[in-house]
Amino acid sequence: MATKAEKIVAGLGGLDNIEEVEGCITRLRTEVKDPSLVNDAALKAAGAHGVVKMGTAIQVVIGTDADPIAADIEDMM
């Protein structure tokens, strides 16, 4: 069974697509190489409340566990 962090990575297009990730209170702030690989439905299925896209900057709204999930993703990178 995939962890929440693994599901979010998949929704962001995989580890190779993620340039940067940081937790910010209730959001994961990420920078991706190719925003077309980001799958909103997969991110919402992984527990995201919303996804905000601004070019290659993607914010995944996930609630108060954003910081631990960001740390988990950084550990995978």
Side-chain angles (χ1 to χ4, degrees), residues 3 5 8 10 16 21 28 32 36-37 41-42 44 47 53 58 63-64 66-67 76:
T3 67
I8 290 171
D16 289 342
V21 63
L28 283 180
V32 296
S36 71
L37 297 177
K44 288 181 180 173
K53 297 179 180 179
I58 311 295
T64 56
D67 284 325
M76 287 188 256

Side-chain angles (χ1 to χ4, degrees), residues 5-77:
E6 290 168 335
K7 291 176 185 175
I8 290 171
V9 166
L12 289 170
L15 286 174
D16 289 342
N17 196 42
I18 300 171
E19 294 275 340
E20 185 178 319
V21 63
E22 71 175 296
C24 183
I25 306 172
T26 61
R27 297 172 184 234
L28 283 180
R29 295 180 186 263
T30 66
E31 190 74 32
V32 296
K33 293 177 186 169
D34 183 352
S36 71
L37 297 177
V38 176
N39 183 329
D40 289 22
L43 289 168
K44 288 181 180 173
H49 303 292
V51 180
V52 180
K53 297 179 180 179
M54 296 159 290
T56 59
I58 311 295
Q59 293 183 14
V60 184
V61 182
I62 55 174
T64 56
D65 55 349
D67 284 325
I69 289 175
D72 291 345
I73 293 171
E74 287 174 351
D75 288 345
M76 287 188 256
M77 296 175 79

